[in-house]
């Protein structure tokens, strides 16, 4: 039994001035013994400092400060309207919360790193300043539904910013793609030169992936757009709370269905962690292209000096460190996703303290993705492409062989025969030391198929090959420009 509490009277009304003063004193003494500890009433003994710090989450959840304040404001206003606490006190608490928010922004109030978590800290400050009025805030609420709310509010605020970063990144890539809609380059499969495409086609491929990420984040946002407040610790509340009013005041579309699910569920975090990991895997692959292109072997891209680094020993070096680092950081976002999946998989319903570990990994993924998008965008905006090298790389590797086969198909030959004929011609060329199918005379070509005519020479230039692929999705410059327009519309 807690002796200190046994001696205390905790039901004193804060109506009279004297009562309010003793109330304040009582709170002060509690705060003095256990700074910002909300559960000090039950336990006579405090954890040792190291143990307290171990279970605290303030270092991570302090970034939820403004969301916590917003949540408390809506909750308290509702408590006042419902007559659960006096209206004037609700208004007073609301004003104090505004003041705390302004002071935090101005740096006049700093978050106490010794507090247990952001919820305890804000409630502690309120109570320190308002006495008994501050002690009314938590009616009908638990930190379990409070943290579920704060986390969602934070994500509703931050994920749209991340989507804006994504849209801007896609915009920069589409600008480059547009400029290079007709710039010929080799397309690869198995990292072997395959068929001529355009740089615009390649960059637009990246953008198609990023646009799906852009919409993936929106999907996740739409699903998490429900307010868990009113779920209490797990079972809801017997007080006449107005959950819908709170949800509306906080800008949620709806309230959660089930109070136990509300405090136990973190699949919204999983979805976002997954969206971050997927986007980072995309960026990582683009960066792999960039690293290859920046090599002496490819020499397709010239990264700006400001987006390159040198070597401490090799004076000639210009390294694509930014691309490499983004590629490297994709690993941690994949790790963060696994962290969260593993964290959740064995948890009994409803809330468990393990859940406190959810935020750090998602915050890291969101932060990592945000900075990587910004860096990748800058690097790509300032990059120059070596168009001559790209075009030259389309020559000599028989990238036109598929088009030669399609030429024969257009003249009525079954594709398998056409494929075989083109393959034999490639062998003829290699045997004769020729680098292009068009290096052979019409007579030589006719040995393999009578269907070849003079027009084959025009059909097999890289530009003609590219232009012929005018189907939706293809690499014809006109079609690539259409894809660019379509993507621009989607990210508006
Ligand atoms: N810091 C906690 C978290 O992030 C808040 C909820 C604590 N609830 C509790 N019953 N201890 O999950």
């Amino acid at each position: 039994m807690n002796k200190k509490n046994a001696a205390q009277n905790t039901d004193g009304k804060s109506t009279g001035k004297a009562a309010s003063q003793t109330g304040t004193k009582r709170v002060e003494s509690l705060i003095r013994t256990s700074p910002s500890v909300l559960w000090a009433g039950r336990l006579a003994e405090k954890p040792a400092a190291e143990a307290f710090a171990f279970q605290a989450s303030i270092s991570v959840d302090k970034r939820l400060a403004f969301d916590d304040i917003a949540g408390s404001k809506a909750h308290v206003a509702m408590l006042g309207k419902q007559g659960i606490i006096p209206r004037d006190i609700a208004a007073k608490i609301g004003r104090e919360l505004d003041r705390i928010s302004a002071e935090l922004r101005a740096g006049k109030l700093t978050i106490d790193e010794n507090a247990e978590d952001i919820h305890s800290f804000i409630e502690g400050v309120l109570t320190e300043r308002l006495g008994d009025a501050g002690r009314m805030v938590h009616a009908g609420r638990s930190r379990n539904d409070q943290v579920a709310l704060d986390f969602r509010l934070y994500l509703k605020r931050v994920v749209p910013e991340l989507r804006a970063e994504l849209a801007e990144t896609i915009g920069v890539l589409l600008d480059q793609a547009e400029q290079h809609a007709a710039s010929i380059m080799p397309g690869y499969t198995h990292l072997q030169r395959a068929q001529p495409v355009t740089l615009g086609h390649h960059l637009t491929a990246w953008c198609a992936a990023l646009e799906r990420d852009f919409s993936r984040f929106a999907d996740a946002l739409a699903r998490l757009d429900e307010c868990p407040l009113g779920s209490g610790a797990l079972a809801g509340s017997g007080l006449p709370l107005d959950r819908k009013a709170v949800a509306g005041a906080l800008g949620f579309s709806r309230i959660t269905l089930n109070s136990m699910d509300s405090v136990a569920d973190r699949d919204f975090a999983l979805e976002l962690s997954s969206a971050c990991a997927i986007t980072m895997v995309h960026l990582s692959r683009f960066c792999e292209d960039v690293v290859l292109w920046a090599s002496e072997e490819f020499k397709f891209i010239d990264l700006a000096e400001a987006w390159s680094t040198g070597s401490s020993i090799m004076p000639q070096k210009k390294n694509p460190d930014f691309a490499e680092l983004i590629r490297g950081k994709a690993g941690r976002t994949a790790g963060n996703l696994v962290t969260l999946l593993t964290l959740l998989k064995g948890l009994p319903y409803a809330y468990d303290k393990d859940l406190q570990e959810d935020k750090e990994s998602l915050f890291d993924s969101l932060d990592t993705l945000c900075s990587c998008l910004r860096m990748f965008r800058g690097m790509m905006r300032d990059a120059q492409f070596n168009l001559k090298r790209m075009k030259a790389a389309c020559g000599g590797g028989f990238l036109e062989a598929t088009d030669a086969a399609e030429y024969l198909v257009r003249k009525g030959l079954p594709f398998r025969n056409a494929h075989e004929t083109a393959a034999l011609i490639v062998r003829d060329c290699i045997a004769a030391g020729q680098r292009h199918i068009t290096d052979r005379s019409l007579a030589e070509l006719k040995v393999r198929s009578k269907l070849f005519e003079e027009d084959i020479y025009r059909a097999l230039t890289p530009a003609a090959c590219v232009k012929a692929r005018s189907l939706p999705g293809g690499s014809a410059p006109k079609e690539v420009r259409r894809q660019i327009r379509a993507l621009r519309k989607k990210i508006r």
Side-chain angles (χ1 to χ4, degrees):
M1 178 74 192
N2 183 344
K3 277 189 220 118
K4 188 171 46 130
N5 268 11
Q8 272 172 0
N9 170 7
T10 52
D11 66 1
K13 283 205 180 132
S14 59
T15 41
K17 205 177 167 194
S20 151
Q21 269 169 0
T22 52
T24 309
K25 247 191 210 139
R26 188 175 59 231
V27 169
E28 272 171 4
S29 80
L30 263 181
I31 285 175
R32 226 178 292 122
T33 49
S34 325
S36 301
V37 172
L38 299 178
W39 35 264
R42 167 67 178 79
L43 306 172
E45 276 190 73
K46 268 175 45 176
E50 187 186 351
F52 185 81
F54 175 80
Q55 61 83 54
S57 57
I58 189 83
S59 61
V60 171
D61 59 31
K62 62 183 174 192
R63 71 163 86 186
L64 302 177
F66 296 108
D67 307 293
D68 195 75
I69 291 171
S72 289
K73 273 193 70 178
H75 179 66
V76 166
M78 177 276 293
L79 292 179
K81 256 191 219 135
Q82 296 297 100
I84 298 168
I85 67 174
R87 266 176 183 266
D88 57 329
I89 291 189
K92 186 169 149 187
I93 299 171
R95 283 194 299 275
E96 199 55 45
L97 284 166
D98 281 338
R99 206 166 296 140
I100 291 172
S101 171
E103 288 175 24
L104 279 174
R105 276 184 215 285
K108 282 184 198 148
L109 176 67
T110 47
I111 294 173
D112 178 5
E113 299 276 345
N114 294 316
E116 185 183 349
D117 56 25
I118 191 63
H119 328 294
S120 331
F121 171 72
I122 302 286
E123 192 180 327
V125 175
L126 261 185
T127 307
E128 213 170 26
R129 294 179 180 186
L130 301 181
D132 276 0
R135 298 169 69 87
M136 294 183 171
V137 182
H138 212 51
R141 191 174 71 171
S142 155
R143 279 183 296 162
N144 298 355
D145 59 351
Q146 193 177 355
V147 74
L149 170 71
D150 293 2
F151 202 8
R152 283 170 141 97
L153 282 175
Y154 174 82
L155 296 170
K156 271 165 71 75
R157 192 158 58 80
V158 166
V159 173
E161 289 171 17
L162 194 61
R163 288 184 82 237
E165 295 286 355
L166 250 172
E168 208 174 321
T169 306
I170 295 170
V172 164
L173 292 174
L174 288 179
D175 288 346
Q176 288 276 25
E178 197 159 13
Q179 205 184 322
H180 294 295
S183 306
I184 307 286
M185 76 177 289
Y188 293 79
T189 62
H190 311 270
L191 196 54
Q192 308 288 319
R193 290 173 189 170
Q195 288 186 275
V197 295
T198 69
L199 175 56
H201 196 199
H202 195 125
L203 296 176
T204 307
W206 293 358
C207 293
L210 289 182
E211 188 281 321
R212 281 191 300 280
D213 297 329
F214 182 72
S215 81
R216 211 180 323 275
F217 279 105
D219 294 345
L221 270 185
R223 243 183 316 276
L224 73 74
D225 187 17
E226 38 188 46
C227 184
L229 213 62
S231 299
L234 81 163
S237 171
L239 297 172
L241 307 178
D242 184 346
R243 289 194 61 197
K244 285 195 179 148
V246 173
L250 289 171
F252 283 98
S253 303
R254 54 194 187 277
I255 59 173
T256 52
L257 176 86
N258 176 295
S259 63
M260 290 180 70
D261 172 57
S262 306
V263 297
D265 149 64
R266 290 294 184 273
D267 56 34
F268 64 88
L270 267 181
E271 281 193 60
L272 287 172
S273 186
S274 161
C276 287
I278 293 172
T279 312
M280 282 299 298
V281 165
H282 284 150
L283 289 183
S284 179
R285 293 186 67 178
F286 309 162
C287 285
E288 173 62 12
D289 281 348
V290 169
V291 170
L292 287 171
W293 292 352
S295 70
E296 192 60 31
E297 284 71 10
F298 276 79
K299 242 188 174 171
F300 285 179
I301 200 170
D302 197 6
L303 294 174
E305 290 191 356
W307 292 106
S308 307
T309 52
S311 159
S312 61
I313 173 170
M314 298 167 282
Q316 86 286 7
K317 290 279 269 184
K318 182 182 159 198
N319 294 328
D321 283 30
F322 287 87
E324 294 169 81
L325 254 184
I326 294 168
R327 191 179 57 188
K329 282 178 191 290
R332 63 195 281 165
T333 58
N336 287 337
L337 174 58
V338 174
T339 296
L340 204 50
L341 284 165
T342 314
L343 174 71
L344 293 168
K345 84 165 275 299
L347 289 191
Y349 270 70
Y351 178 87
D352 304 276
K353 181 85 165 184
D354 316 43
L355 289 172
Q356 178 166 288
E357 293 283 310
D358 60 355
K359 287 171 284 303
E360 195 167 1
S361 77
L362 184 57
F363 288 166
D364 182 69
S365 284
L366 294 165
D367 293 351
T368 300
L369 175 56
C370 183
S371 60
C372 286
L373 283 170
R374 297 173 65 85
M375 295 301 105
F376 182 71
R377 181 164 82 221
M379 180 181 76
M380 291 308 296
R381 188 191 43 221
D382 299 338
Q384 296 290 327
F385 293 94
N386 194 340
L387 303 180
K388 268 198 200 131
R389 274 288 288 200
M390 287 183 163
K391 191 166 181 191
C394 289
F398 305 105
L399 279 71
E400 70 280 22
T402 311
D403 296 85
E406 287 190 355
Y407 172 95
L408 295 173
V409 168
R410 252 181 267 125
K411 304 229 163 172
L413 200 63
F415 178 74
R416 200 39 68 204
N417 303 27
H419 183 276
E420 219 174 273
T421 305
L424 289 171
I425 294 171
V426 168
R427 291 174 69 117
D428 294 342
C429 287
I430 293 170
Q434 293 165 325
R435 299 183 65 239
H436 304 94
I437 289 176
T438 49
D439 289 346
R440 296 189 78 65
S441 70
L442 192 55
E444 286 169 329
L445 290 174
K446 277 189 185 287
V447 170
R448 294 296 180 188
S449 171
K450 299 255 170 310
L451 296 171
F452 284 116
E453 299 294 345
E454 200 52 53
D455 60 352
I456 185 68
Y457 294 99
R458 262 173 289 123
L460 295 192
T461 66
C465 294
V466 157
K467 198 173 162 207
R469 285 186 230 104
S470 56
L471 284 183
S475 50
K478 203 174 151 204
E479 167 52 23
V480 167
R481 287 192 193 98
R482 187 199 61 81
Q483 295 166 25
I484 294 171
R485 281 195 303 278
L487 284 171
R488 284 205 202 278
K489 246 188 227 152
K490 287 191 171 194
I491 56 164
R492 258 213 299 265

